[in-house]
Amino acid sequence: MRYVAFYLIFSLLSSKVFALDCKKDKFEETKITICTVSILTDDLRLYLRNKDGVPFGNFNALRQELNNNGKELSFAMNAGMYHSDLSPVGHFKEEFSEKKKVISTPGPGNFGMLPNGVFCIGSDLLNVYETLDYLDKAPKCNYATQSGPLLVWNNRLHPRFLKESKSKFIRNGVGTSADKKYAYFVKSEDILNFHTFARIFKEKLKLPNALYLDGKISRVYSKELNRNDFGWPIGPIVAVVRSKD
């Protein structure tokens, strides 16, 4: 019995522990998918182009390159708005290298609906910053992607969201915990307006800050759920990567 107990404890201590958890859920009448990631245990990164400088454009292309390098894709989601050439609309940083500078001025469309924000992946933190706050604090982000609008900022919904808005689409976004250790990626499976989508992060997940990533083309890859959404090519991708061994 002592040997069995020792073996079980040893196995638990020596095995890799991951916090990544993807599940189907519901908010009021809307079906959603939620994937929870921890900076403490999960290798979360941003991707745009392959080794030849060509945008991945989809999860399969990213998965193949990772496989060729002894890694596997566990989770992925489109991670910000992009132009027709798949380049990011706003600020983008990959492996400490800034690929595009921050855009801090108002503009057309959802991206320019200020306040917008930046999702930062640091060595020991995951956080959504309001854009001007990001510029002021200059956090050390290994990866960063800018999008908009902010869904929740300091526990408040974006001031321009209307409860009765008729503008409804499939949407996806990310929110971060108050301790900056967890990120919650949400994709709606039914159409909904900004107000309802933001309330998922504020009321259901109790998150102080959340950022809209995109809509219409929102997609998720989850090995856990055996899911691999496909469609039109996408730009930036956020992903949890693991070693094959």
Side-chain angles (χ1 to χ4, degrees):
M1 290 295 293
R2 288 182 179 179
Y3 174 79
V4 173
F6 173 81
Y7 177 78
L8 289 173
I9 293 172
F10 176 80
S11 298
L12 288 172
L13 292 175
S14 61
S15 63
K16 294 181 180 179
V17 178
F18 301 105
L20 175 63
D21 175 54
C22 289
K23 64 181 181 180
K24 298 177 181 178
D25 210 325
K26 200 170 186 180
F27 177 71
E28 297 176 346
E29 299 303 314
T30 303
K31 291 180 288 186
I32 58 177
T33 297
I34 303 173
C35 290
T36 307
V37 177
S38 170
I39 194 63
L40 303 174
T41 56
D42 299 313
D43 187 357
L44 185 65
R45 308 180 184 186
L46 283 165
Y47 291 93
L48 180 60
R49 303 180 188 277
N50 63 21
K51 59 182 178 59
D52 298 318
V54 178
F56 287 105
N58 59 71
F59 302 138
N60 287 335
L62 174 58
R63 183 175 61 175
Q64 184 60 56
E65 182 156 303
L66 290 172
N67 286 341
N68 293 341
N69 289 284
K71 298 183 180 297
E72 67 176 17
L73 184 62
S74 297
F75 156 78
M77 177 179 279
N78 55 297
M81 299 175 190
Y82 53 91
H83 296 294
S84 58
D85 64 356
L86 306 187
S87 64
V89 171
H91 177 56
F92 191 77
K93 182 183 285 189
E94 187 176 350
E95 294 185 310
F96 299 99
S97 176
E98 186 179 61
K99 307 299 183 181
K100 188 163 184 179
K101 294 186 178 299
V102 175
I103 297 177
S104 59
T105 54
N110 293 328
F111 181 91
M113 191 194 301
L114 303 186
N116 58 15
V118 178
F119 173 55
C120 168
I121 303 172
S123 299
D124 60 355
L125 67 85
L126 298 170
N127 197 39
V128 168
Y129 292 91
E130 186 272 331
T131 296
L132 297 181
D133 188 46
Y134 176 83
L135 287 170
D136 181 59
K137 292 180 177 176
K140 294 181 179 179
C141 307
N142 302 0
Y143 302 86
T145 183
Q146 184 184 13
S147 191
L150 281 172
L151 298 168
V152 185
W153 179 238
N154 290 335
N155 296 296
R156 290 178 292 183
L157 300 188
H158 194 290
R160 291 181 58 183
F161 292 169
L162 302 176
K163 184 177 181 181
E164 302 303 327
S165 172
K166 302 299 182 183
S167 178
K168 297 183 179 183
F169 296 98
I170 299 292
R171 305 181 189 274
N172 70 294
V174 57
T176 49
S177 59
D179 63 5
K180 301 179 177 62
K181 302 303 180 186
Y182 293 87
Y184 297 79
F185 296 90
V186 178
K187 177 185 179 294
S188 67
E189 306 300 341
D190 301 314
I191 60 171
L192 75 178
N193 62 28
F194 270 130
H195 192 276
T196 302
F197 190 51
R199 287 175 51 234
I200 295 173
F201 293 91
K202 183 179 185 294
E203 298 176 14
K204 181 178 179 65
L205 299 176
K206 311 295 184 185
L207 302 177
N209 304 312
L211 179 66
Y212 178 64
L213 292 176
D214 216 334
K216 299 182 185 179
I217 52 84
S218 303
R219 291 198 283 281
V220 172
Y221 175 96
S222 171
K223 185 177 180 182
E224 185 178 0
L225 297 177
N226 192 30
R227 176 173 177 175
N228 184 5
D229 295 350
F230 61 91
W232 294 103
I234 55 177
I237 297 172
V238 62
V240 171
V241 177
R242 295 177 181 172
S243 174
K244 278 187 177 181
D245 57 8

